[in-house]
Every structure is written in C-alpha cells, then in structure tokens.
Amino acid sequence: DVRAPGKIRFGHEMTSFSQDSNGVTATIRDVAAGEDFQIRAKYLVGADGGRACEQLLRLRPGGASDGGLEHPS
C-alpha cells in the first residue's frame, strides 16, 4: 500500500470488510480526515483486543454469533 506500507496506522478504524476466495477487502476510515479507503489483503487479523472486530463479526464472548461463528471466552 502506497500510504504506509508495513506500518501501523494510528487514527484509523476498520468500518467493514468482505471476503472472497482470493482474500479480504477492508474499508478503512482515516478519522481525522473523515475519508474512507479500501485495502486488499490475503488475510485479516483482528488485533484490537476484541473490540471492533468482535462487533463487525457479530461475535458474543463465550458463544455463537449471529453469523454462526464461535468466540472463546
């Protein structure tokens, strides 16, 4: 990615994502600028302490989600 290859982006949040057989497309918001952009990747890793990714995946700690996924407590 031209914006910040291999770097952590503070002040950004993932607002949505979609998956297909070739990878994941994530929509990212630059909070300060109020702009959205998309990133395409092979994998998506949630490393936010379970806050945003848990909400986007509709996971409930210790049980099944609305989408049929399970999240260990």
Side-chain angles (χ1 to χ4, degrees), residues 24-65:
V24 180
T25 302
T27 301
I28 308 297
R29 171 164 289 161
D30 179 331
V31 176
E35 297 177 358
D36 291 348
F37 58 95
Q38 291 188 327
I39 295 176
R40 181 79 182 153
K42 232 177 168 180
Y43 303 99
L44 174 65
V45 176
D48 65 341
R51 293 181 299 266
C53 289
E54 193 170 86
Q55 291 173 0
L56 286 171
L57 290 170
R58 297 184 311 271
L59 294 173
R60 292 188 310 260
S65 72

